[in-house]
Amino acid sequence: MPKNSKVVKRELDDEVIESVKDLLSNEDSSDDAFKKSELMVDDQEEKDVDVEEGSDVEDERPAWNSKLQYILAQVGFSVGLGNVWRFPYLCQKNGGGAYLVPYLILLLIIGIPLFFLELAVGQRIRRGSIGVWNYISPKLGGIGFASCVVCFFVALYYNVIIGWSLFYFSQSFQHPLPWDQCPLVKNASHTFVEPECEKSSATTYYWYREALNISSSLSESGGLNWKMTICLLAAWVMVCLAMIKGIQSSGKIMYFSSLFPYVVLLCFLIRGLLLNGSVDGIRHMFTPKLEIMLEPKVWREAATQVFFALGLGFGGVIAFSSYNKRDNNCHFDAVLVSFINFFTSVLATLVVFAVLGFKANIINEKCVTQNSEKILKLLKMGNLSQDMIPHHINFSSITAEDYNLVYDIIQKVKEEQFDSLGLKSCQIEDELDKAVQGTGLAFIAFTEAMTHFPASPFWSVMFFLMLVNLGLGSMFGTIEGIITPIVDTFKVRKEILTVICCLVAFFIGLIFVQRSGNYFVTMFDDYSATLPLLIVVILENIAVIRIYGIDKFMEDLKDMLGFSPSQYYYYMWKYVSPFVLLCLLVASIVQMGLSPPGYNAWIEDTAMEEFHSYPTWGMIVCISLMVFAILPVPIVFVVRRCNLIDDSSGSLASVSYKRGRIIKEPVNLEGDNTSLIHGKSPSEVPSPNFGKNIYRKQTGSPTLDTAPNGRYGIGYLMADMPDMPESDL
């Protein structure tokens, strides 16, 4: 990598043959002849520009307008729907407040170090995920392609969730809310409540029947749901318009999409704390269950949540950081964004459990009222003696504490006949233990709670607008993880590629807006990302630490940051993170093998969910998603290792530097699949095929496969991966 230190100037009359890597390592920043020297190319129509730090020539690569815009983009990408409907569920399920301990430990062990690693390589090499891993080793270029495939799979179903949120948002401008009451059905003789709704609840019925109009199985397509099809189209139009100009357009939108959710969360928290029963929910949430924290499953789920919360492996982190200046303090960014993500999860958890505590209190009050009426009937019928009831109990205004006192007395006295009485224990804790996550939390539990809010349409509009913004922030990073690497590698116009990508994704996404579409969302969520992303991040860690070299990487960081990063990162990257990631991969495979592959189908007759195993073709789709996502890694490795694609080109390993000019020399490296630089600037060079050979090997020049420092020479990497940054030339 280029160094800022000065060395004794070499005599320009002496002919020097060395790798470009070592040549630039000895650059004299005051050498005007060197500064003005260019690669001499055949095509003079477009001049090749070498941009080095300190050069007057501006880099053609776009850049963030401000540091704030970049931080908001990274925060918007990492903070998503999972912070609102996944983290609170895991926290409640895995020990309450005690869950924060393993989460924080794993955030420090794998979260921040790996997030810092992705930020650093993106900022240093200034390319998307494909270009970054090609630069480190062409044989590992498949890592970037795998990231793009996973991003595409995730974008397909993630935007469907934004479409669902848009539907609920559009339906929230009504009073009362359409999911407030069960609909009535009229026939010739009388009017009655919809049976399916009566067996479940108004919000559950609205979600499954009105919004999704869901079928009873994966195999029963049921045709397109036109309402959700329109919402999906609207979601993709929004994403396309926001991304069509790259960071110039999406960066400005980040000011709203990243900050607005925090405004809504704070409003909900303040409103939630004023609700009756909210304290019960928060107390239940943060009551630590230390015995649960010691279970291995808790640590596995905490590691998985850390992994996905920061968006590791998607390529979006690398893509965003590639638009930074070289001297940006990416270490500060990594720590800042990671902790913003963590505190956002805690804030969302407070909001969720404050609202769920309010909801549980309402349900508990209904339970007390209904069962008190049963007790009064049993007293009138003589099944219960009035002597059992304490004198201070007033059934017309009975409290939950008084009811539980009466319930305990009756249970002890009528121990043998108690079950036949049909009384229920009304405990708020029992209701809070029924934790829900994902769509069940957002579209059923939360919507039900909001029907009891004063001015419920306002809060519903705010909530679903927040979900749309959270989803869009993550979608921008996901799409950037697809667009940036392809633009950098194949030099297509970003506007055209963005439109094509969104159109293709919309048409493929129509499978998610069938009546059976919710089951496909579950399938993609379970199988398209988890294992492939784990493998991708493990390979990223190995590529930087083993292939590129941990010592060299630490030197590059010092050169970029202006100070040496803590040795903490050295040991995390080299030993701890790879070990933890491998353990997580094994645990995920074991968990996937032990869990029966299937989905929860909604059964109309019983108005309940029922577990169904995937049919044979469904299992094939699940396996195919995982295989296709990781397949680029071995394919690219084999193609480049065995030189299966012949570019009829050699590899640039050395140049001759004479009298202020760089004389190009072709060097054919045995066994390498490489390409030659064409007569265009690096930002415009087509890939992977090139035009004329412009480098000439000097007589007696050695044939090198690696640079003197043991790594592939920078020239080799340039030739094999022409989309390397101009400032590295």
Side-chain angles (χ1 to χ4, degrees), residues 367-397:
C367 176
V368 169
T369 302
Q370 292 172 354
N371 283 273
S372 297
E373 292 173 355
K374 286 184 180 180
I375 292 174
L376 286 174
K377 289 180 182 179
L378 291 172
L379 288 171
K380 290 179 181 179
M381 294 170 60
N383 293 338
L384 294 177
S385 171
Q386 187 67 42
D387 297 335
M388 298 182 189
I389 311 301
H391 297 294
H392 71 279
I393 300 296
N394 180 7
F395 282 103
S396 61
S397 59

PDB file of all heavy atoms in Angstrom, residues 367-397:
ATOM      1  N   CYS A 367     -60.597 -10.424  31.523  1.00  0.00           N
ATOM      2  CA  CYS A 367     -60.586 -11.763  32.117  1.00  0.00           C
ATOM      3  C   CYS A 367     -61.203 -11.737  33.519  1.00  0.00           C
ATOM      4  O   CYS A 367     -62.017 -12.595  33.878  1.00  0.00           O
ATOM      5  CB  CYS A 367     -59.160 -12.291  32.164  1.00  0.00           C
ATOM      6  SG  CYS A 367     -58.962 -13.897  32.966  1.00  0.00           S
ATOM      7  N   VAL A 368     -60.819 -10.727  34.322  1.00  0.00           N
ATOM      8  CA  VAL A 368     -61.354 -10.601  35.685  1.00  0.00           C
ATOM      9  C   VAL A 368     -62.864 -10.372  35.652  1.00  0.00           C
ATOM     10  O   VAL A 368     -63.627 -10.993  36.417  1.00  0.00           O
ATOM     11  CB  VAL A 368     -60.638  -9.447  36.423  1.00  0.00           C
ATOM     12  CG1 VAL A 368     -61.355  -9.115  37.732  1.00  0.00           C
ATOM     13  CG2 VAL A 368     -59.188  -9.807  36.691  1.00  0.00           C
ATOM     14  N   THR A 369     -63.316  -9.504  34.763  1.00  0.00           N
ATOM     15  CA  THR A 369     -64.746  -9.205  34.659  1.00  0.00           C
ATOM     16  C   THR A 369     -65.541 -10.442  34.261  1.00  0.00           C
ATOM     17  O   THR A 369     -66.581 -10.760  34.877  1.00  0.00           O
ATOM     18  CB  THR A 369     -64.975  -8.084  33.636  1.00  0.00           C
ATOM     19  OG1 THR A 369     -64.237  -6.924  34.028  1.00  0.00           O
ATOM     20  CG2 THR A 369     -66.445  -7.739  33.526  1.00  0.00           C
ATOM     21  N   GLN A 370     -65.093 -11.142  33.232  1.00  0.00           N
ATOM     22  CA  GLN A 370     -65.806 -12.335  32.759  1.00  0.00           C
ATOM     23  C   GLN A 370     -65.861 -13.427  33.829  1.00  0.00           C
ATOM     24  O   GLN A 370     -66.909 -14.053  34.046  1.00  0.00           O
ATOM     25  CB  GLN A 370     -65.142 -12.873  31.492  1.00  0.00           C
ATOM     26  CG  GLN A 370     -65.290 -11.963  30.291  1.00  0.00           C
ATOM     27  CD  GLN A 370     -64.457 -12.424  29.099  1.00  0.00           C
ATOM     28  OE1 GLN A 370     -63.671 -13.369  29.213  1.00  0.00           O
ATOM     29  NE2 GLN A 370     -64.614 -11.741  27.971  1.00  0.00           N
ATOM     30  N   ASN A 371     -64.759 -13.669  34.512  1.00  0.00           N
ATOM     31  CA  ASN A 371     -64.714 -14.740  35.511  1.00  0.00           C
ATOM     32  C   ASN A 371     -65.433 -14.347  36.799  1.00  0.00           C
ATOM     33  O   ASN A 371     -65.943 -15.211  37.516  1.00  0.00           O
ATOM     34  CB  ASN A 371     -63.268 -15.127  35.803  1.00  0.00           C
ATOM     35  CG  ASN A 371     -62.659 -15.987  34.706  1.00  0.00           C
ATOM     36  OD1 ASN A 371     -62.780 -17.198  34.701  1.00  0.00           O
ATOM     37  ND2 ASN A 371     -62.006 -15.332  33.748  1.00  0.00           N
ATOM     38  N   SER A 372     -65.485 -13.053  37.104  1.00  0.00           N
ATOM     39  CA  SER A 372     -66.275 -12.595  38.253  1.00  0.00           C
ATOM     40  C   SER A 372     -67.754 -12.859  38.014  1.00  0.00           C
ATOM     41  O   SER A 372     -68.490 -13.250  38.938  1.00  0.00           O
ATOM     42  CB  SER A 372     -66.040 -11.104  38.497  1.00  0.00           C
ATOM     43  OG  SER A 372     -64.696 -10.868  38.837  1.00  0.00           O
ATOM     44  N   GLU A 373     -68.215 -12.637  36.771  1.00  0.00           N
ATOM     45  CA  GLU A 373     -69.609 -12.940  36.434  1.00  0.00           C
ATOM     46  C   GLU A 373     -69.891 -14.431  36.567  1.00  0.00           C
ATOM     47  O   GLU A 373     -70.982 -14.833  37.008  1.00  0.00           O
ATOM     48  CB  GLU A 373     -69.906 -12.463  35.013  1.00  0.00           C
ATOM     49  CG  GLU A 373     -69.896 -10.943  34.854  1.00  0.00           C
ATOM     50  CD  GLU A 373     -70.037 -10.500  33.413  1.00  0.00           C
ATOM     51  OE1 GLU A 373     -70.039 -11.398  32.519  1.00  0.00           O
ATOM     52  OE2 GLU A 373     -70.123  -9.284  33.162  1.00  0.00           O
ATOM     53  N   LYS A 374     -68.926 -15.269  36.206  1.00  0.00           N
ATOM     54  CA  LYS A 374     -69.089 -16.719  36.370  1.00  0.00           C
ATOM     55  C   LYS A 374     -69.232 -17.091  37.848  1.00  0.00           C
ATOM     56  O   LYS A 374     -70.055 -17.935  38.216  1.00  0.00           O
ATOM     57  CB  LYS A 374     -67.892 -17.463  35.766  1.00  0.00           C
ATOM     58  CG  LYS A 374     -67.856 -17.505  34.258  1.00  0.00           C
ATOM     59  CD  LYS A 374     -66.677 -18.362  33.772  1.00  0.00           C
ATOM     60  CE  LYS A 374     -66.621 -18.403  32.253  1.00  0.00           C
ATOM     61  NZ  LYS A 374     -65.486 -19.231  31.766  1.00  0.00           N
ATOM     62  N   ILE A 375     -68.408 -16.441  38.689  1.00  0.00           N
ATOM     63  CA  ILE A 375     -68.471 -16.733  40.132  1.00  0.00           C
ATOM     64  C   ILE A 375     -69.836 -16.335  40.700  1.00  0.00           C
ATOM     65  O   ILE A 375     -70.433 -17.069  41.516  1.00  0.00           O
ATOM     66  CB  ILE A 375     -67.335 -16.000  40.871  1.00  0.00           C
ATOM     67  CG1 ILE A 375     -65.979 -16.596  40.468  1.00  0.00           C
ATOM     68  CG2 ILE A 375     -67.511 -16.103  42.389  1.00  0.00           C
ATOM     69  CD1 ILE A 375     -64.782 -15.858  41.037  1.00  0.00           C
ATOM     70  N   LEU A 376     -70.361 -15.189  40.282  1.00  0.00           N
ATOM     71  CA  LEU A 376     -71.681 -14.748  40.739  1.00  0.00           C
ATOM     72  C   LEU A 376     -72.764 -15.750  40.341  1.00  0.00           C
ATOM     73  O   LEU A 376     -73.672 -16.060  41.136  1.00  0.00           O
ATOM     74  CB  LEU A 376     -72.001 -13.367  40.169  1.00  0.00           C
ATOM     75  CG  LEU A 376     -71.261 -12.182  40.805  1.00  0.00           C
ATOM     76  CD1 LEU A 376     -71.556 -10.896  40.036  1.00  0.00           C
ATOM     77  CD2 LEU A 376     -71.671 -12.024  42.273  1.00  0.00           C
ATOM     78  N   LYS A 377     -72.687 -16.272  39.108  1.00  0.00           N
ATOM     79  CA  LYS A 377     -73.659 -17.271  38.655  1.00  0.00           C
ATOM     80  C   LYS A 377     -73.552 -18.549  39.484  1.00  0.00           C
ATOM     81  O   LYS A 377     -74.562 -19.157  39.858  1.00  0.00           O
ATOM     82  CB  LYS A 377     -73.440 -17.588  37.178  1.00  0.00           C
ATOM     83  CG  LYS A 377     -73.846 -16.475  36.233  1.00  0.00           C
ATOM     84  CD  LYS A 377     -73.611 -16.865  34.780  1.00  0.00           C
ATOM     85  CE  LYS A 377     -73.982 -15.733  33.844  1.00  0.00           C
ATOM     86  NZ  LYS A 377     -73.730 -16.097  32.421  1.00  0.00           N
ATOM     87  N   LEU A 378     -72.313 -18.957  39.771  1.00  0.00           N
ATOM     88  CA  LEU A 378     -72.106 -20.171  40.575  1.00  0.00           C
ATOM     89  C   LEU A 378     -72.617 -19.983  41.997  1.00  0.00           C
ATOM     90  O   LEU A 378     -73.136 -20.928  42.619  1.00  0.00           O
ATOM     91  CB  LEU A 378     -70.607 -20.526  40.596  1.00  0.00           C
ATOM     92  CG  LEU A 378     -70.011 -21.003  39.267  1.00  0.00           C
ATOM     93  CD1 LEU A 378     -68.488 -21.118  39.376  1.00  0.00           C
ATOM     94  CD2 LEU A 378     -70.602 -22.361  38.867  1.00  0.00           C
ATOM     95  N   LEU A 379     -72.523 -18.750  42.524  1.00  0.00           N
ATOM     96  CA  LEU A 379     -73.058 -18.468  43.854  1.00  0.00           C
ATOM     97  C   LEU A 379     -74.581 -18.544  43.852  1.00  0.00           C
ATOM     98  O   LEU A 379     -75.199 -19.085  44.790  1.00  0.00           O
ATOM     99  CB  LEU A 379     -72.598 -17.085  44.322  1.00  0.00           C
ATOM    100  CG  LEU A 379     -71.114 -16.947  44.699  1.00  0.00           C
ATOM    101  CD1 LEU A 379     -70.756 -15.483  44.933  1.00  0.00           C
ATOM    102  CD2 LEU A 379     -70.805 -17.768  45.955  1.00  0.00           C
ATOM    103  N   LYS A 380     -75.206 -17.993  42.802  1.00  0.00           N
ATOM    104  CA  LYS A 380     -76.663 -18.017  42.712  1.00  0.00           C
ATOM    105  C   LYS A 380     -77.190 -19.435  42.536  1.00  0.00           C
ATOM    106  O   LYS A 380     -78.249 -19.797  43.050  1.00  0.00           O
ATOM    107  CB  LYS A 380     -77.127 -17.141  41.543  1.00  0.00           C
ATOM    108  CG  LYS A 380     -76.932 -15.649  41.786  1.00  0.00           C
ATOM    109  CD  LYS A 380     -77.398 -14.834  40.579  1.00  0.00           C
ATOM    110  CE  LYS A 380     -77.173 -13.341  40.818  1.00  0.00           C
ATOM    111  NZ  LYS A 380     -77.593 -12.534  39.641  1.00  0.00           N
ATOM    112  N   MET A 381     -76.448 -20.240  41.791  1.00  0.00           N
ATOM    113  CA  MET A 381     -76.870 -21.621  41.537  1.00  0.00           C
ATOM    114  C   MET A 381     -76.576 -22.529  42.725  1.00  0.00           C
ATOM    115  O   MET A 381     -76.997 -23.679  42.753  1.00  0.00           O
ATOM    116  CB  MET A 381     -76.160 -22.160  40.294  1.00  0.00           C
ATOM    117  CG  MET A 381     -76.570 -21.453  39.006  1.00  0.00           C
ATOM    118  SD  MET A 381     -75.507 -21.900  37.603  1.00  0.00           S
ATOM    119  CE  MET A 381     -75.756 -23.668  37.529  1.00  0.00           C
ATOM    120  N   GLY A 382     -75.842 -22.063  43.694  1.00  0.00           N
ATOM    121  CA  GLY A 382     -75.528 -22.869  44.866  1.00  0.00           C
ATOM    122  C   GLY A 382     -74.315 -23.759  44.708  1.00  0.00           C
ATOM    123  O   GLY A 382     -74.005 -24.557  45.605  1.00  0.00           O
ATOM    124  N   ASN A 383     -73.608 -23.645  43.598  1.00  0.00           N
ATOM    125  CA  ASN A 383     -72.401 -24.457  43.398  1.00  0.00           C
ATOM    126  C   ASN A 383     -71.250 -23.981  44.283  1.00  0.00           C
ATOM    127  O   ASN A 383     -70.325 -24.738  44.561  1.00  0.00           O
ATOM    128  CB  ASN A 383     -71.956 -24.415  41.940  1.00  0.00           C
ATOM    129  CG  ASN A 383     -72.958 -25.109  41.033  1.00  0.00           C
ATOM    130  OD1 ASN A 383     -73.745 -25.938  41.486  1.00  0.00           O
ATOM    131  ND2 ASN A 383     -72.937 -24.747  39.760  1.00  0.00           N
ATOM    132  N   LEU A 384     -71.313 -22.715  44.667  1.00  0.00           N
ATOM    133  CA  LEU A 384     -70.318 -22.155  45.574  1.00  0.00           C
ATOM    134  C   LEU A 384     -71.034 -21.556  46.783  1.00  0.00           C
ATOM    135  O   LEU A 384     -72.148 -21.027  46.673  1.00  0.00           O
ATOM    136  CB  LEU A 384     -69.487 -21.065  44.879  1.00  0.00           C
ATOM    137  CG  LEU A 384     -68.575 -21.494  43.734  1.00  0.00           C
ATOM    138  CD1 LEU A 384     -67.895 -20.272  43.122  1.00  0.00           C
ATOM    139  CD2 LEU A 384     -67.525 -22.489  44.205  1.00  0.00           C
ATOM    140  N   SER A 385     -70.385 -21.624  47.943  1.00  0.00           N
ATOM    141  CA  SER A 385     -70.952 -21.070  49.175  1.00  0.00           C
ATOM    142  C   SER A 385     -70.503 -19.630  49.348  1.00  0.00           C
ATOM    143  O   SER A 385     -69.343 -19.287  49.076  1.00  0.00           O
ATOM    144  CB  SER A 385     -70.510 -21.911  50.374  1.00  0.00           C
ATOM    145  OG  SER A 385     -70.880 -21.279  51.571  1.00  0.00           O
ATOM    146  N   GLN A 386     -71.424 -18.782  49.799  1.00  0.00           N
ATOM    147  CA  GLN A 386     -71.096 -17.381  50.036  1.00  0.00           C
ATOM    148  C   GLN A 386     -70.048 -17.229  51.124  1.00  0.00           C
ATOM    149  O   GLN A 386     -69.323 -16.232  51.176  1.00  0.00           O
ATOM    150  CB  GLN A 386     -72.374 -16.626  50.441  1.00  0.00           C
ATOM    151  CG  GLN A 386     -72.203 -15.122  50.552  1.00  0.00           C
ATOM    152  CD  GLN A 386     -71.933 -14.455  49.205  1.00  0.00           C
ATOM    153  OE1 GLN A 386     -72.567 -14.799  48.210  1.00  0.00           O
ATOM    154  NE2 GLN A 386     -70.992 -13.516  49.177  1.00  0.00           N
ATOM    155  N   ASP A 387     -69.928 -18.247  51.989  1.00  0.00           N
ATOM    156  CA  ASP A 387     -68.956 -18.171  53.081  1.00  0.00           C
ATOM    157  C   ASP A 387     -67.508 -18.169  52.575  1.00  0.00           C
ATOM    158  O   ASP A 387     -66.594 -17.758  53.293  1.00  0.00           O
ATOM    159  CB  ASP A 387     -69.147 -19.359  54.042  1.00  0.00           C
ATOM    160  CG  ASP A 387     -70.511 -19.320  54.712  1.00  0.00           C
ATOM    161  OD1 ASP A 387     -71.071 -18.212  54.818  1.00  0.00           O
ATOM    162  OD2 ASP A 387     -71.008 -20.392  55.105  1.00  0.00           O
ATOM    163  N   MET A 388     -67.295 -18.677  51.330  1.00  0.00           N
ATOM    164  CA  MET A 388     -65.932 -18.690  50.773  1.00  0.00           C
ATOM    165  C   MET A 388     -65.437 -17.285  50.437  1.00  0.00           C
ATOM    166  O   MET A 388     -64.234 -17.029  50.411  1.00  0.00           O
ATOM    167  CB  MET A 388     -65.885 -19.522  49.477  1.00  0.00           C
ATOM    168  CG  MET A 388     -66.227 -20.976  49.639  1.00  0.00           C
ATOM    169  SD  MET A 388     -66.062 -21.769  48.024  1.00  0.00           S
ATOM    170  CE  MET A 388     -66.775 -23.375  48.392  1.00  0.00           C
ATOM    171  N   ILE A 389     -66.352 -16.385  50.161  1.00  0.00           N
ATOM    172  CA  ILE A 389     -65.989 -15.074  49.644  1.00  0.00           C
ATOM    173  C   ILE A 389     -65.717 -14.122  50.803  1.00  0.00           C
ATOM    174  O   ILE A 389     -66.576 -13.940  51.679  1.00  0.00           O
ATOM    175  CB  ILE A 389     -67.117 -14.503  48.757  1.00  0.00           C
ATOM    176  CG1 ILE A 389     -67.572 -15.550  47.729  1.00  0.00           C
ATOM    177  CG2 ILE A 389     -66.649 -13.224  48.071  1.00  0.00           C
ATOM    178  CD1 ILE A 389     -66.490 -16.038  46.806  1.00  0.00           C
ATOM    179  N   PRO A 390     -64.522 -13.531  50.860  1.00  0.00           N
ATOM    180  CA  PRO A 390     -64.236 -12.541  51.911  1.00  0.00           C
ATOM    181  C   PRO A 390     -65.244 -11.392  51.870  1.00  0.00           C
ATOM    182  O   PRO A 390     -65.740 -11.011  50.803  1.00  0.00           O
ATOM    183  CB  PRO A 390     -62.830 -12.047  51.563  1.00  0.00           C
ATOM    184  CG  PRO A 390     -62.218 -13.175  50.782  1.00  0.00           C
ATOM    185  CD  PRO A 390     -63.343 -13.785  50.010  1.00  0.00           C
ATOM    186  N   HIS A 391     -65.551 -10.821  53.040  1.00  0.00           N
ATOM    187  CA  HIS A 391     -66.620  -9.817  53.149  1.00  0.00           C
ATOM    188  C   HIS A 391     -66.292  -8.521  52.402  1.00  0.00           C
ATOM    189  O   HIS A 391     -67.209  -7.812  51.978  1.00  0.00           O
ATOM    190  CB  HIS A 391     -66.889  -9.504  54.633  1.00  0.00           C
ATOM    191  CG  HIS A 391     -67.386 -10.691  55.392  1.00  0.00           C
ATOM    192  ND1 HIS A 391     -68.605 -11.297  55.148  1.00  0.00           N
ATOM    193  CD2 HIS A 391     -66.805 -11.411  56.410  1.00  0.00           C
ATOM    194  CE1 HIS A 391     -68.773 -12.324  55.958  1.00  0.00           C
ATOM    195  NE2 HIS A 391     -67.691 -12.424  56.749  1.00  0.00           N
ATOM    196  N   HIS A 392     -65.031  -8.202  52.241  1.00  0.00           N
ATOM    197  CA  HIS A 392     -64.683  -6.918  51.611  1.00  0.00           C
ATOM    198  C   HIS A 392     -64.739  -6.969  50.084  1.00  0.00           C
ATOM    199  O   HIS A 392     -64.564  -5.952  49.417  1.00  0.00           O
ATOM    200  CB  HIS A 392     -63.278  -6.476  52.048  1.00  0.00           C
ATOM    201  CG  HIS A 392     -62.173  -7.319  51.465  1.00  0.00           C
ATOM    202  ND1 HIS A 392     -61.804  -8.532  51.992  1.00  0.00           N
ATOM    203  CD2 HIS A 392     -61.366  -7.118  50.376  1.00  0.00           C
ATOM    204  CE1 HIS A 392     -60.808  -9.047  51.285  1.00  0.00           C
ATOM    205  NE2 HIS A 392     -60.521  -8.201  50.289  1.00  0.00           N
ATOM    206  N   ILE A 393     -64.984  -8.166  49.523  1.00  0.00           N
ATOM    207  CA  ILE A 393     -64.996  -8.310  48.060  1.00  0.00           C
ATOM    208  C   ILE A 393     -66.295  -7.767  47.494  1.00  0.00           C
ATOM    209  O   ILE A 393     -67.395  -8.159  47.911  1.00  0.00           O
ATOM    210  CB  ILE A 393     -64.820  -9.781  47.648  1.00  0.00           C
ATOM    211  CG1 ILE A 393     -63.498 -10.340  48.173  1.00  0.00           C
ATOM    212  CG2 ILE A 393     -64.904  -9.921  46.120  1.00  0.00           C
ATOM    213  CD1 ILE A 393     -62.272  -9.682  47.606  1.00  0.00           C
ATOM    214  N   ASN A 394     -66.161  -6.864  46.510  1.00  0.00           N
ATOM    215  CA  ASN A 394     -67.321  -6.308  45.808  1.00  0.00           C
ATOM    216  C   ASN A 394     -67.188  -6.676  44.329  1.00  0.00           C
ATOM    217  O   ASN A 394     -66.343  -6.121  43.618  1.00  0.00           O
ATOM    218  CB  ASN A 394     -67.379  -4.790  45.993  1.00  0.00           C
ATOM    219  CG  ASN A 394     -68.571  -4.173  45.283  1.00  0.00           C
ATOM    220  OD1 ASN A 394     -69.432  -4.875  44.762  1.00  0.00           O
ATOM    221  ND2 ASN A 394     -68.622  -2.846  45.283  1.00  0.00           N
ATOM    222  N   PHE A 395     -68.027  -7.589  43.868  1.00  0.00           N
ATOM    223  CA  PHE A 395     -67.880  -8.092  42.497  1.00  0.00           C
ATOM    224  C   PHE A 395     -68.233  -7.048  41.434  1.00  0.00           C
ATOM    225  O   PHE A 395     -67.867  -7.195  40.273  1.00  0.00           O
ATOM    226  CB  PHE A 395     -68.750  -9.347  42.306  1.00  0.00           C
ATOM    227  CG  PHE A 395     -68.142 -10.586  42.905  1.00  0.00           C
ATOM    228  CD1 PHE A 395     -68.606 -11.097  44.113  1.00  0.00           C
ATOM    229  CD2 PHE A 395     -67.099 -11.236  42.268  1.00  0.00           C
ATOM    230  CE1 PHE A 395     -68.038 -12.235  44.673  1.00  0.00           C
ATOM    231  CE2 PHE A 395     -66.531 -12.374  42.818  1.00  0.00           C
ATOM    232  CZ  PHE A 395     -66.998 -12.878  44.028  1.00  0.00           C
ATOM    233  N   SER A 396     -68.914  -6.006  41.789  1.00  0.00           N
ATOM    234  CA  SER A 396     -69.268  -4.986  40.796  1.00  0.00           C
ATOM    235  C   SER A 396     -68.060  -4.119  40.420  1.00  0.00           C
ATOM    236  O   SER A 396     -68.027  -3.549  39.337  1.00  0.00           O
ATOM    237  CB  SER A 396     -70.399  -4.100  41.334  1.00  0.00           C
ATOM    238  OG  SER A 396     -69.968  -3.434  42.521  1.00  0.00           O
ATOM    239  N   SER A 397     -67.077  -4.030  41.301  1.00  0.00           N
ATOM    240  CA  SER A 397     -65.859  -3.256  40.999  1.00  0.00           C
ATOM    241  C   SER A 397     -64.649  -3.993  41.562  1.00  0.00           C
ATOM    242  O   SER A 397     -63.863  -3.419  42.315  1.00  0.00           O
ATOM    243  CB  SER A 397     -65.962  -1.843  41.586  1.00  0.00           C
ATOM    244  OG  SER A 397     -66.141  -1.904  42.994  1.00  0.00           O
TER     245      SER A 397
END
